[in-house]
Amino acid sequence: MAIKWTEQMLDYIRRQAPNHSHRHIADDLSCMTGLEITEGMVRSTTKRYKIKGRDCRFRHGSIPANKGLSIPSHTNSVATQFKKGSKPTTWLPIGSERIADGYVQVKMTDTGYPPRDWVAKHRLIWEAHNGPLPDKTMLRFIDGDRTNIRLDNLLAVTRQENAVMNRWLRVNDMPEGGLISLHLMAKIKIKASQRKKEFS
């Protein structure tokens, strides 16, 4: 039911809104007018007439009511809490290996942050023989098997070359000669594009 808001009703809302909830104001107005006024009606009216309501934000410098108080734990929660120095059942020591997203990973540190602790083993093998992997370069598996981390199965490609190779594979089959041939084709295509820009 639509409510015709009188100036007296709006004035009452303006005076009450800074200190009372919409539900409280709605109940008061319902009693005063005999109309069925809901919390939602009051809320929409304050928005329509741009009436400011209660500011419930925690002001800068305010002190929380529970500051300095020790909140006791529930009896059942204490029994299941991690004790200081305890480790989760999934914890593994440094040097452990695992398979994640199809890749073999080795645990190198124990910070508790998996992306930092676990390193791809195929990258460690490649860098042990070739030095740090250059910037914007990644490793691909020649036979497509991510668990085959032998050095002769790892191919270093730039991210630009990898993008060209992936675009080819979306519409074509793997060329004869496999990934190595596809890598060579990508390098030729990139070089040709660079030369074309130079002469255009």
Side-chain angles (χ1 to χ4, degrees):
M1 180 182 69
I3 297 294
K4 184 177 181 180
W5 297 96
T6 64
E7 189 57 40
Q8 289 81 359
M9 295 167 69
L10 292 175
D11 183 59
Y12 182 81
I13 294 176
R14 290 189 184 96
R15 287 186 282 107
Q16 297 296 318
N19 301 304
H20 297 88
S21 67
H22 293 147
R23 177 177 295 180
H24 180 92
I25 297 172
D27 291 343
D28 283 355
L29 286 173
S30 295
C31 292
M32 293 164 56
T33 63
L35 301 173
E36 188 177 342
I37 299 175
T38 66
E39 178 184 357
M41 291 177 180
V42 175
R43 182 183 296 109
S44 61
T45 301
T46 56
K47 289 182 180 179
R48 186 184 314 124
Y49 291 94
K50 298 181 179 179
I51 299 173
K52 291 186 178 182
R54 291 189 300 176
D55 185 0
C56 300
R57 293 175 297 179
F58 199 78
R59 291 177 174 79
H60 181 71
S62 299
I63 300 176
N66 61 351
K67 182 178 180 180
L69 298 179
S70 178
I71 309 299
S73 300
H74 190 276
T75 306
N76 293 335
S77 66
V78 172
T80 58
Q81 286 177 349
F82 270 109
K83 305 299 185 291
K84 186 175 181 180
S86 62
K87 297 181 182 298
T89 56
T90 55
W91 177 85
L92 292 171
I94 293 175
S96 299
E97 295 186 7
R98 71 175 185 180
I99 303 293
D101 297 326
Y103 295 96
V104 181
Q105 295 183 336
V106 181
K107 189 172 185 180
M108 303 297 291
T109 57
D110 193 17
T111 66
Y113 182 58
R116 182 181 302 155
D117 293 337
W118 293 89
V119 179
K121 189 173 182 179
H122 66 277
R123 177 164 181 161
L124 294 175
I125 292 173
W126 191 91
E127 291 185 336
H129 290 81
N130 301 283
L133 193 67
D135 189 35
K136 297 182 180 179
T137 303
M138 58 185 296
L139 297 174
R140 292 196 60 161
F141 301 88
I142 295 174
D143 66 358
D145 182 1
R146 294 176 178 178
T147 62
N148 183 1
I149 56 177
R150 298 196 320 270
L151 183 63
D152 58 6
N153 191 46
L154 304 177
L155 179 66
V157 301
T158 66
R159 296 197 178 277
Q160 184 181 20
E161 293 166 352
N162 186 63
V164 174
M165 294 163 71
N166 287 337
R167 281 198 296 269
W168 168 275
L169 291 176
R170 277 198 292 268
V171 294
N172 301 285
D173 295 328
M174 181 70 74
E176 186 177 349
L179 199 70
I180 294 178
S181 296
L182 182 59
H183 182 218
L184 180 59
M185 291 165 57
K187 295 176 75 170
I188 293 173
K189 182 175 180 60
I190 293 171
K191 190 65 176 179
S193 298
Q194 292 173 344
R195 292 297 297 273
K196 185 177 181 180
K197 290 180 181 179
E198 292 174 1
F199 289 101
S200 60

